[in-house]
Amino acid sequence: MSSPSLTRVAVLGAKGRMGSEVVRAVTAADGLEVAASYDVGDALDFSGVDVAVDFTHPDAVMDNLKACIEAGVHAVVGTTGFDESRLAQLREWLAAAPSVGVLIAPNFGIAAVLMMQFSAKAAPYFESVEIVELHHAGKADAPSGTARRTAELVSAARQGMPAMPDATSTSLDGARGADVAGVRVHAVRLPGLVAHQEVVLAGGGESLTIRHDSYDRASFMPGVLLGVRSVADRPGLTVGLEALLDL
C-alpha cells in the first residue's frame, strides 16, 4: 500500500521514447511512485493518482488533459503542439477546477530553458534573430514547441524595435522557414538526432550563436521531476519550466 508521503504518478505515453524514460525516472526518485502507466488505446483511470505526466501526441493530449482536470488530477505536460487556442481552452477547463494545476513545458531540459532565457536577454541588442531546431525523424510536429516558445520570448523582448532586415522577394515555399511571432524558425529532421536548437543573432558586424544540445532523453528528467513535485502548489495553468526556476 502506498505511503501517504508518496506522490502517485500516472505516465501517459509510457511506452514511447520519453514516456519510458519518465517511468524509469519516477521509479528511481524519492517520494514518487508510478501508480499507473498508459499508452495508445488504454482506458484512463486516475483513481489513486495525484499527478499525470503526459508525453503522448498532439492529437491526443487535449482529451487526456480534460480527463485529468475532470478527475482533479494535476498534470505535467511535455507533449507539444500547444497554440493560444489550446491554452485558452485549458484555462477555461481549469476555471471550473480551481485546485488543479497544469504545467505545459515546451522543454524540460534545464540547459534548454537557460538557452531560451539567454536568447531573450540578448535579442534586443541585435538587428536580426533566427532559430534553427534539429530533431529526430520521428518527431510529429514542426517547428518544435521549444522553438515556438523561444520565438515568442524573443519577439516579446524585441517589442518596439524595427522589423528585422530581409530583402527576400522571391523564394520557394518554406525556404525562409516558419514565421513565429515575427521570428523565422527553421526545422531539420534527421535520423540519429535527439533534440538540438541554435539561436543565431546578428547585427553591427558581429553575430552570437546560442546553442543547446540534448544527447540523451535522460537530460529532461530533472525538469520533469521538478514539475511533478511542484505542480500541486501552482493551481491553474503554468507555461514554461522557467516559472519553477529562480531565473
Side-chain angles (χ1 to χ4, degrees):
M1 186 172 180
S2 298
S3 164
S5 63
L6 286 176
T7 297
R8 296 159 299 181
V9 181
V11 182
L12 282 60
K15 294 181 181 178
R17 288 178 291 261
M18 284 295 293
S20 57
E21 197 69 48
V22 172
V23 169
R24 286 190 287 272
V26 170
T27 300
D30 292 337
L32 307 178
E33 72 169 6
V34 177
S37 59
Y38 300 106
D39 212 88
V40 178
D42 294 338
L44 301 180
D45 180 1
F46 292 123
S47 302
V49 171
D50 302 307
V51 179
V53 178
D54 189 298
F55 279 94
T56 57
H57 190 279
D59 292 342
V61 66
M62 292 300 286
D63 287 343
N64 294 343
L65 288 177
K66 185 177 183 183
C68 287
I69 294 167
E70 290 176 347
V73 171
H74 308 291
V76 173
V77 185
T79 306
T80 55
F82 283 89
D83 55 18
E84 279 306 317
S85 65
R86 286 191 164 200
L87 295 177
Q89 179 65 79
L90 283 178
R91 292 186 182 99
E92 182 180 325
W93 291 340
L94 287 165
S99 64
V100 176
V102 173
L103 169 65
I104 306 290
N107 198 307
F108 282 96
I110 304 299
V113 173
L114 291 171
M115 174 268 296
M116 288 187 269
Q117 295 295 308
F118 294 159
S119 299
K121 187 73 172 176
Y125 298 96
F126 293 88
E127 287 181 280
S128 296
V129 185
E130 299 205 7
I131 298 168
V132 182
E133 57 96 339
L134 309 92
H135 283 79
H136 56 90
K139 186 169 179 58
D141 59 321
S144 69
T146 300
R148 283 178 176 269
R149 179 63 174 162
T150 307
E152 291 165 357
L153 292 172
V154 165
S155 180
R158 287 176 49 84
Q159 285 297 311
M161 293 182 65
M164 299 182 201
D166 186 352
T168 304
S169 58
T170 61
S171 67
L172 296 176
D173 289 346
R176 290 290 294 118
D179 184 326
V180 181
V183 179
R184 292 290 176 178
V185 180
H186 310 267
V188 177
R189 297 291 176 266
L190 293 171
L193 299 179
V194 178
H196 316 265
Q197 179 171 299
E198 59 183 35
V199 181
V200 184
L201 308 98
E206 62 178 351
S207 68
L208 171 66
T209 299
I210 302 172
R211 181 175 174 113
H212 169 258
D213 296 280
S214 286
Y215 303 108
D216 191 301
R217 290 175 179 84
S219 67
F220 303 117
M221 292 307 106
V224 171
L225 297 180
L226 174 62
V228 169
R229 291 184 167 117
S230 304
V231 67
D233 298 327
R234 303 182 67 90
L237 180 63
T238 300
V239 179
L241 190 68
E242 61 269 21
L244 307 186
L245 302 172
D246 186 16
L247 298 175

mmCIF file of all heavy atoms in Angstrom, residues 17 58 80-81 106-107 131-148 177-178 180 185-198 211 217:
data_model
loop_
_atom_site.group_PDB
_atom_site.id
_atom_site.type_symbol
_atom_site.label_atom_id
_atom_site.label_comp_id
_atom_site.label_asym_id
_atom_site.label_seq_id
_atom_site.Cartn_x
_atom_site.Cartn_y
_atom_site.Cartn_z
ATOM 1 N N ARG A 17 9.322 6.968 -26.397
ATOM 2 C CA ARG A 17 10.721 7.292 -26.076
ATOM 3 C C ARG A 17 10.824 8.104 -24.789
ATOM 4 O O ARG A 17 11.644 7.799 -23.928
ATOM 5 C CB ARG A 17 11.352 8.053 -27.254
ATOM 6 C CG ARG A 17 11.633 7.196 -28.476
ATOM 7 C CD ARG A 17 12.207 8.035 -29.612
ATOM 8 N NE ARG A 17 11.228 8.942 -30.172
ATOM 9 C CZ ARG A 17 10.539 8.725 -31.289
ATOM 10 N NH1 ARG A 17 10.749 7.616 -31.975
ATOM 11 N NH2 ARG A 17 9.662 9.595 -31.737
ATOM 12 N N PRO A 58 0.222 15.291 -30.061
ATOM 13 C CA PRO A 58 -0.643 16.475 -30.128
ATOM 14 C C PRO A 58 -2.108 16.156 -30.402
ATOM 15 O O PRO A 58 -2.993 16.898 -29.962
ATOM 16 C CB PRO A 58 -0.026 17.279 -31.291
ATOM 17 C CG PRO A 58 1.419 16.903 -31.277
ATOM 18 C CD PRO A 58 1.439 15.446 -30.897
ATOM 19 N N THR A 80 3.952 18.411 -27.294
ATOM 20 C CA THR A 80 3.974 19.720 -27.927
ATOM 21 C C THR A 80 2.723 19.934 -28.775
ATOM 22 O O THR A 80 1.794 19.131 -28.750
ATOM 23 C CB THR A 80 5.241 19.896 -28.772
ATOM 24 O OG1 THR A 80 5.334 18.814 -29.706
ATOM 25 C CG2 THR A 80 6.480 19.910 -27.883
ATOM 26 N N GLY A 81 2.677 21.057 -29.496
ATOM 27 C CA GLY A 81 1.526 21.369 -30.328
ATOM 28 C C GLY A 81 0.563 22.345 -29.696
ATOM 29 O O GLY A 81 -0.564 22.517 -30.179
ATOM 30 N N PRO A 106 7.420 23.420 -22.939
ATOM 31 C CA PRO A 106 7.950 23.071 -24.253
ATOM 32 C C PRO A 106 9.245 22.265 -24.184
ATOM 33 O O PRO A 106 9.553 21.510 -25.096
ATOM 34 C CB PRO A 106 8.184 24.436 -24.912
ATOM 35 C CG PRO A 106 7.259 25.367 -24.207
ATOM 36 C CD PRO A 106 7.207 24.871 -22.793
ATOM 37 N N ASN A 107 9.996 22.455 -23.101
ATOM 38 C CA ASN A 107 11.234 21.698 -22.933
ATOM 39 C C ASN A 107 11.516 21.555 -21.443
ATOM 40 O O ASN A 107 11.403 22.535 -20.691
ATOM 41 C CB ASN A 107 12.399 22.415 -23.616
ATOM 42 C CG ASN A 107 13.584 21.489 -23.861
ATOM 43 O OD1 ASN A 107 14.072 20.829 -22.953
ATOM 44 N ND2 ASN A 107 14.042 21.436 -25.107
ATOM 45 N N ILE A 131 16.051 31.161 -35.745
ATOM 46 C CA ILE A 131 16.147 29.951 -34.932
ATOM 47 C C ILE A 131 16.214 28.729 -35.845
ATOM 48 O O ILE A 131 15.442 28.616 -36.800
ATOM 49 C CB ILE A 131 14.935 29.830 -33.984
ATOM 50 C CG1 ILE A 131 14.910 31.020 -33.009
ATOM 51 C CG2 ILE A 131 14.957 28.505 -33.227
ATOM 52 C CD1 ILE A 131 13.617 31.154 -32.235
ATOM 53 N N VAL A 132 17.145 27.829 -35.547
ATOM 54 C CA VAL A 132 17.243 26.553 -36.248
ATOM 55 C C VAL A 132 17.083 25.449 -35.212
ATOM 56 O O VAL A 132 17.848 25.379 -34.246
ATOM 57 C CB VAL A 132 18.597 26.391 -36.971
ATOM 58 C CG1 VAL A 132 18.634 25.072 -37.739
ATOM 59 C CG2 VAL A 132 18.857 27.568 -37.902
ATOM 60 N N GLU A 133 16.072 24.616 -35.396
ATOM 61 C CA GLU A 133 15.883 23.490 -34.468
ATOM 62 C C GLU A 133 16.051 22.191 -35.234
ATOM 63 O O GLU A 133 15.632 22.064 -36.392
ATOM 64 C CB GLU A 133 14.530 23.583 -33.761
ATOM 65 C CG GLU A 133 13.306 23.634 -34.649
ATOM 66 C CD GLU A 133 12.643 22.287 -34.849
ATOM 67 O OE1 GLU A 133 13.315 21.258 -34.638
ATOM 68 O OE2 GLU A 133 11.474 22.263 -35.251
ATOM 69 N N LEU A 134 16.707 21.214 -34.593
ATOM 70 C CA LEU A 134 17.032 19.937 -35.220
ATOM 71 C C LEU A 134 16.555 18.809 -34.306
ATOM 72 O O LEU A 134 16.905 18.775 -33.119
ATOM 73 C CB LEU A 134 18.538 19.810 -35.452
ATOM 74 C CG LEU A 134 19.239 20.969 -36.177
ATOM 75 C CD1 LEU A 134 19.769 21.997 -35.170
ATOM 76 C CD2 LEU A 134 20.401 20.441 -37.006
ATOM 77 N N HIS A 135 15.762 17.897 -34.857
ATOM 78 C CA HIS A 135 15.235 16.793 -34.072
ATOM 79 C C HIS A 135 15.281 15.490 -34.869
ATOM 80 O O HIS A 135 15.506 15.483 -36.076
ATOM 81 C CB HIS A 135 13.784 17.077 -33.647
ATOM 82 C CG HIS A 135 13.676 18.041 -32.519
ATOM 83 N ND1 HIS A 135 13.785 19.412 -32.687
ATOM 84 C CD2 HIS A 135 13.474 17.846 -31.182
ATOM 85 C CE1 HIS A 135 13.647 20.009 -31.515
ATOM 86 N NE2 HIS A 135 13.460 19.083 -30.589
ATOM 87 N N HIS A 136 15.012 14.407 -34.159
ATOM 88 C CA HIS A 136 14.956 13.077 -34.758
ATOM 89 C C HIS A 136 13.827 13.011 -35.785
ATOM 90 O O HIS A 136 12.862 13.787 -35.746
ATOM 91 C CB HIS A 136 14.751 12.026 -33.675
ATOM 92 C CG HIS A 136 13.521 12.269 -32.836
ATOM 93 N ND1 HIS A 136 12.291 11.759 -33.164
ATOM 94 C CD2 HIS A 136 13.355 12.997 -31.694
ATOM 95 C CE1 HIS A 136 11.403 12.141 -32.267
ATOM 96 N NE2 HIS A 136 12.019 12.894 -31.356
ATOM 97 N N ALA A 137 13.930 12.055 -36.697
ATOM 98 C CA ALA A 137 12.979 11.959 -37.808
ATOM 99 C C ALA A 137 11.599 11.482 -37.376
ATOM 100 O O ALA A 137 10.649 11.580 -38.149
ATOM 101 C CB ALA A 137 13.543 11.023 -38.881
ATOM 102 N N GLY A 138 11.459 11.013 -36.144
ATOM 103 C CA GLY A 138 10.162 10.543 -35.668
ATOM 104 C C GLY A 138 9.317 11.607 -35.008
ATOM 105 O O GLY A 138 8.206 11.315 -34.552
ATOM 106 N N LYS A 139 9.789 12.839 -34.962
ATOM 107 C CA LYS A 139 9.036 13.904 -34.290
ATOM 108 C C LYS A 139 7.827 14.306 -35.129
ATOM 109 O O LYS A 139 7.936 14.517 -36.336
ATOM 110 C CB LYS A 139 9.937 15.111 -34.039
ATOM 111 C CG LYS A 139 9.280 16.199 -33.216
ATOM 112 C CD LYS A 139 10.294 17.237 -32.766
ATOM 113 C CE LYS A 139 9.648 18.358 -31.958
ATOM 114 N NZ LYS A 139 8.954 17.833 -30.753
ATOM 115 N N ALA A 140 6.659 14.448 -34.478
ATOM 116 C CA ALA A 140 5.419 14.653 -35.221
ATOM 117 C C ALA A 140 5.188 16.098 -35.647
ATOM 118 O O ALA A 140 4.544 16.346 -36.663
ATOM 119 C CB ALA A 140 4.234 14.181 -34.381
ATOM 120 N N ASP A 141 5.668 17.049 -34.866
ATOM 121 C CA ASP A 141 5.324 18.446 -35.142
ATOM 122 C C ASP A 141 6.545 19.253 -35.552
ATOM 123 O O ASP A 141 7.675 18.944 -35.183
ATOM 124 C CB ASP A 141 4.666 19.102 -33.923
ATOM 125 C CG ASP A 141 5.575 19.072 -32.698
ATOM 126 O OD1 ASP A 141 6.257 18.046 -32.497
ATOM 127 O OD2 ASP A 141 5.621 20.063 -31.949
ATOM 128 N N ALA A 142 6.312 20.282 -36.343
ATOM 129 C CA ALA A 142 7.372 21.203 -36.745
ATOM 130 C C ALA A 142 6.760 22.589 -36.924
ATOM 131 O O ALA A 142 5.702 22.716 -37.532
ATOM 132 C CB ALA A 142 8.021 20.743 -38.051
ATOM 133 N N PRO A 143 7.375 23.629 -36.415
ATOM 134 C CA PRO A 143 8.585 23.563 -35.587
ATOM 135 C C PRO A 143 8.294 23.011 -34.195
ATOM 136 O O PRO A 143 7.138 22.847 -33.820
ATOM 137 C CB PRO A 143 9.028 25.032 -35.519
ATOM 138 C CG PRO A 143 7.771 25.817 -35.679
ATOM 139 C CD PRO A 143 6.923 25.023 -36.618
ATOM 140 N N SER A 144 9.340 22.741 -33.454
ATOM 141 C CA SER A 144 9.200 22.161 -32.126
ATOM 142 C C SER A 144 8.567 23.163 -31.164
ATOM 143 O O SER A 144 8.579 24.376 -31.376
ATOM 144 C CB SER A 144 10.573 21.749 -31.590
ATOM 145 O OG SER A 144 11.351 22.907 -31.320
ATOM 146 N N GLY A 145 8.024 22.633 -30.067
ATOM 147 C CA GLY A 145 7.482 23.510 -29.033
ATOM 148 C C GLY A 145 8.541 24.401 -28.432
ATOM 149 O O GLY A 145 8.270 25.565 -28.083
ATOM 150 N N THR A 146 9.756 23.899 -28.316
ATOM 151 C CA THR A 146 10.852 24.716 -27.789
ATOM 152 C C THR A 146 11.142 25.895 -28.709
ATOM 153 O O THR A 146 11.322 27.031 -28.249
ATOM 154 C CB THR A 146 12.121 23.856 -27.629
ATOM 155 O OG1 THR A 146 11.847 22.783 -26.725
ATOM 156 C CG2 THR A 146 13.281 24.676 -27.098
ATOM 157 N N ALA A 147 11.171 25.632 -30.027
ATOM 158 C CA ALA A 147 11.434 26.714 -30.971
ATOM 159 C C ALA A 147 10.312 27.742 -30.952
ATOM 160 O O ALA A 147 10.562 28.951 -31.010
ATOM 161 C CB ALA A 147 11.613 26.137 -32.368
ATOM 162 N N ARG A 148 9.077 27.281 -30.886
ATOM 163 C CA ARG A 148 7.945 28.211 -30.796
ATOM 164 C C ARG A 148 8.072 29.101 -29.564
ATOM 165 O O ARG A 148 7.900 30.315 -29.630
ATOM 166 C CB ARG A 148 6.624 27.438 -30.718
ATOM 167 C CG ARG A 148 6.129 26.874 -32.036
ATOM 168 C CD ARG A 148 4.840 26.101 -31.788
ATOM 169 N NE ARG A 148 4.234 25.606 -33.004
ATOM 170 C CZ ARG A 148 3.331 26.269 -33.723
ATOM 171 N NH1 ARG A 148 2.944 27.478 -33.333
ATOM 172 N NH2 ARG A 148 2.824 25.750 -34.822
ATOM 173 N N GLY A 177 11.730 29.472 -43.777
ATOM 174 C CA GLY A 177 11.263 28.942 -42.505
ATOM 175 C C GLY A 177 9.874 29.431 -42.149
ATOM 176 O O GLY A 177 9.225 30.157 -42.903
ATOM 177 N N ALA A 178 9.407 29.021 -40.977
ATOM 178 C CA ALA A 178 8.106 29.456 -40.478
ATOM 179 C C ALA A 178 8.247 30.789 -39.765
ATOM 180 O O ALA A 178 9.264 31.064 -39.124
ATOM 181 C CB ALA A 178 7.539 28.415 -39.519
ATOM 182 N N VAL A 180 7.148 32.707 -36.735
ATOM 183 C CA VAL A 180 6.552 32.531 -35.421
ATOM 184 C C VAL A 180 6.722 33.839 -34.656
ATOM 185 O O VAL A 180 7.833 34.193 -34.258
ATOM 186 C CB VAL A 180 7.198 31.368 -34.646
ATOM 187 C CG1 VAL A 180 6.530 31.207 -33.279
ATOM 188 C CG2 VAL A 180 7.110 30.070 -35.429
ATOM 189 N N VAL A 185 11.838 30.559 -38.065
ATOM 190 C CA VAL A 185 12.204 29.302 -37.418
ATOM 191 C C VAL A 185 12.346 28.227 -38.490
ATOM 192 O O VAL A 185 11.436 28.011 -39.297
ATOM 193 C CB VAL A 185 11.147 28.868 -36.388
ATOM 194 C CG1 VAL A 185 11.552 27.557 -35.729
ATOM 195 C CG2 VAL A 185 10.946 29.954 -35.329
ATOM 196 N N HIS A 186 13.490 27.548 -38.492
ATOM 197 C CA HIS A 186 13.804 26.517 -39.483
ATOM 198 C C HIS A 186 13.890 25.167 -38.778
ATOM 199 O O HIS A 186 14.586 25.024 -37.768
ATOM 200 C CB HIS A 186 15.139 26.832 -40.169
ATOM 201 C CG HIS A 186 15.214 28.242 -40.681
ATOM 202 N ND1 HIS A 186 14.866 28.597 -41.961
ATOM 203 C CD2 HIS A 186 15.587 29.397 -40.056
ATOM 204 C CE1 HIS A 186 15.030 29.902 -42.125
ATOM 205 N NE2 HIS A 186 15.465 30.415 -40.977
ATOM 206 N N ALA A 187 13.186 24.161 -39.315
ATOM 207 C CA ALA A 187 13.139 22.837 -38.697
ATOM 208 C C ALA A 187 13.903 21.822 -39.534
ATOM 209 O O ALA A 187 13.708 21.734 -40.747
ATOM 210 C CB ALA A 187 11.692 22.387 -38.531
ATOM 211 N N VAL A 188 14.770 21.052 -38.888
ATOM 212 C CA VAL A 188 15.539 19.975 -39.518
ATOM 213 C C VAL A 188 15.122 18.659 -38.872
ATOM 214 O O VAL A 188 15.014 18.571 -37.643
ATOM 215 C CB VAL A 188 17.052 20.199 -39.332
ATOM 216 C CG1 VAL A 188 17.851 19.048 -39.915
ATOM 217 C CG2 VAL A 188 17.487 21.525 -39.954
ATOM 218 N N ARG A 189 14.886 17.624 -39.671
ATOM 219 C CA ARG A 189 14.525 16.302 -39.161
ATOM 220 C C ARG A 189 15.483 15.265 -39.748
ATOM 221 O O ARG A 189 15.484 15.033 -40.962
ATOM 222 C CB ARG A 189 13.083 15.952 -39.539
ATOM 223 C CG ARG A 189 12.042 16.880 -38.926
ATOM 224 C CD ARG A 189 11.944 16.697 -37.423
ATOM 225 N NE ARG A 189 11.030 17.641 -36.811
ATOM 226 C CZ ARG A 189 11.396 18.804 -36.296
ATOM 227 N NH1 ARG A 189 12.667 19.178 -36.323
ATOM 228 N NH2 ARG A 189 10.503 19.600 -35.737
ATOM 229 N N LEU A 190 16.294 14.653 -38.894
ATOM 230 C CA LEU A 190 17.283 13.683 -39.345
ATOM 231 C C LEU A 190 17.352 12.500 -38.379
ATOM 232 O O LEU A 190 17.300 12.698 -37.151
ATOM 233 C CB LEU A 190 18.675 14.327 -39.430
ATOM 234 C CG LEU A 190 18.891 15.410 -40.498
ATOM 235 C CD1 LEU A 190 20.242 16.068 -40.288
ATOM 236 C CD2 LEU A 190 18.803 14.809 -41.895
ATOM 237 N N PRO A 191 17.494 11.274 -38.881
ATOM 238 C CA PRO A 191 17.680 10.121 -38.000
ATOM 239 C C PRO A 191 18.943 10.288 -37.151
ATOM 240 O O PRO A 191 19.951 10.822 -37.610
ATOM 241 C CB PRO A 191 17.826 8.945 -38.975
ATOM 242 C CG PRO A 191 17.237 9.424 -40.261
ATOM 243 C CD PRO A 191 17.491 10.897 -40.313
ATOM 244 N N GLY A 192 18.861 9.834 -35.918
ATOM 245 C CA GLY A 192 20.029 9.862 -35.042
ATOM 246 C C GLY A 192 20.097 11.075 -34.131
ATOM 247 O O GLY A 192 20.805 11.047 -33.123
ATOM 248 N N LEU A 193 19.388 12.143 -34.474
ATOM 249 C CA LEU A 193 19.357 13.311 -33.603
ATOM 250 C C LEU A 193 18.403 13.063 -32.441
ATOM 251 O O LEU A 193 17.517 12.213 -32.504
ATOM 252 C CB LEU A 193 18.896 14.548 -34.379
ATOM 253 C CG LEU A 193 19.752 14.993 -35.564
ATOM 254 C CD1 LEU A 193 19.139 16.222 -36.232
ATOM 255 C CD2 LEU A 193 21.180 15.295 -35.117
ATOM 256 N N VAL A 194 18.570 13.827 -31.373
ATOM 257 C CA VAL A 194 17.612 13.798 -30.257
ATOM 258 C C VAL A 194 16.877 15.135 -30.255
ATOM 259 O O VAL A 194 15.805 15.257 -30.814
ATOM 260 C CB VAL A 194 18.312 13.511 -28.917
ATOM 261 C CG1 VAL A 194 17.304 13.546 -27.767
ATOM 262 C CG2 VAL A 194 18.978 12.135 -28.959
ATOM 263 N N ALA A 195 17.476 16.169 -29.658
ATOM 264 C CA ALA A 195 16.857 17.498 -29.641
ATOM 265 C C ALA A 195 17.958 18.537 -29.576
ATOM 266 O O ALA A 195 18.788 18.513 -28.659
ATOM 267 C CB ALA A 195 15.917 17.636 -28.451
ATOM 268 N N HIS A 196 17.953 19.447 -30.543
ATOM 269 C CA HIS A 196 19.019 20.437 -30.668
ATOM 270 C C HIS A 196 18.413 21.750 -31.166
ATOM 271 O O HIS A 196 17.470 21.733 -31.961
ATOM 272 C CB HIS A 196 20.084 19.962 -31.661
ATOM 273 C CG HIS A 196 20.456 18.520 -31.474
ATOM 274 N ND1 HIS A 196 21.532 18.123 -30.719
ATOM 275 C CD2 HIS A 196 19.865 17.382 -31.923
ATOM 276 C CE1 HIS A 196 21.597 16.793 -30.726
ATOM 277 N NE2 HIS A 196 20.593 16.328 -31.448
ATOM 278 N N GLN A 197 18.954 22.846 -30.716
ATOM 279 C CA GLN A 197 18.470 24.138 -31.202
ATOM 280 C C GLN A 197 19.568 25.185 -31.095
ATOM 281 O O GLN A 197 20.316 25.204 -30.119
ATOM 282 C CB GLN A 197 17.267 24.611 -30.389
ATOM 283 C CG GLN A 197 16.740 25.971 -30.837
ATOM 284 C CD GLN A 197 15.433 26.340 -30.175
ATOM 285 O OE1 GLN A 197 14.440 25.636 -30.345
ATOM 286 N NE2 GLN A 197 15.420 27.425 -29.433
ATOM 287 N N GLU A 198 19.631 26.027 -32.120
ATOM 288 C CA GLU A 198 20.521 27.173 -32.032
ATOM 289 C C GLU A 198 19.755 28.438 -32.405
ATOM 290 O O GLU A 198 18.902 28.435 -33.286
ATOM 291 C CB GLU A 198 21.762 27.005 -32.894
ATOM 292 C CG GLU A 198 21.542 26.810 -34.362
ATOM 293 C CD GLU A 198 22.853 26.591 -35.105
ATOM 294 O OE1 GLU A 198 23.773 25.967 -34.536
ATOM 295 O OE2 GLU A 198 22.952 27.059 -36.257
ATOM 296 N N ARG A 211 23.465 27.891 -28.475
ATOM 297 C CA ARG A 211 23.061 26.541 -28.889
ATOM 298 C C ARG A 211 22.865 25.633 -27.685
ATOM 299 O O ARG A 211 23.636 25.677 -26.728
ATOM 300 C CB ARG A 211 24.096 25.937 -29.841
ATOM 301 C CG ARG A 211 23.711 24.534 -30.331
ATOM 302 C CD ARG A 211 24.669 23.985 -31.356
ATOM 303 N NE ARG A 211 24.331 22.595 -31.668
ATOM 304 C CZ ARG A 211 23.870 22.165 -32.835
ATOM 305 N NH1 ARG A 211 23.695 23.013 -33.830
ATOM 306 N NH2 ARG A 211 23.596 20.882 -33.036
ATOM 307 N N ARG A 217 17.719 11.425 -23.679
ATOM 308 C CA ARG A 217 16.441 11.885 -23.110
ATOM 309 C C ARG A 217 16.472 11.934 -21.596
ATOM 310 O O ARG A 217 15.594 12.566 -20.978
ATOM 311 C CB ARG A 217 15.300 10.995 -23.621
ATOM 312 C CG ARG A 217 15.034 11.222 -25.095
ATOM 313 C CD ARG A 217 13.995 10.289 -25.687
ATOM 314 N NE ARG A 217 13.799 10.618 -27.101
ATOM 315 C CZ ARG A 217 14.563 10.171 -28.092
ATOM 316 N NH1 ARG A 217 15.580 9.341 -27.818
ATOM 317 N NH2 ARG A 217 14.341 10.532 -29.339
#
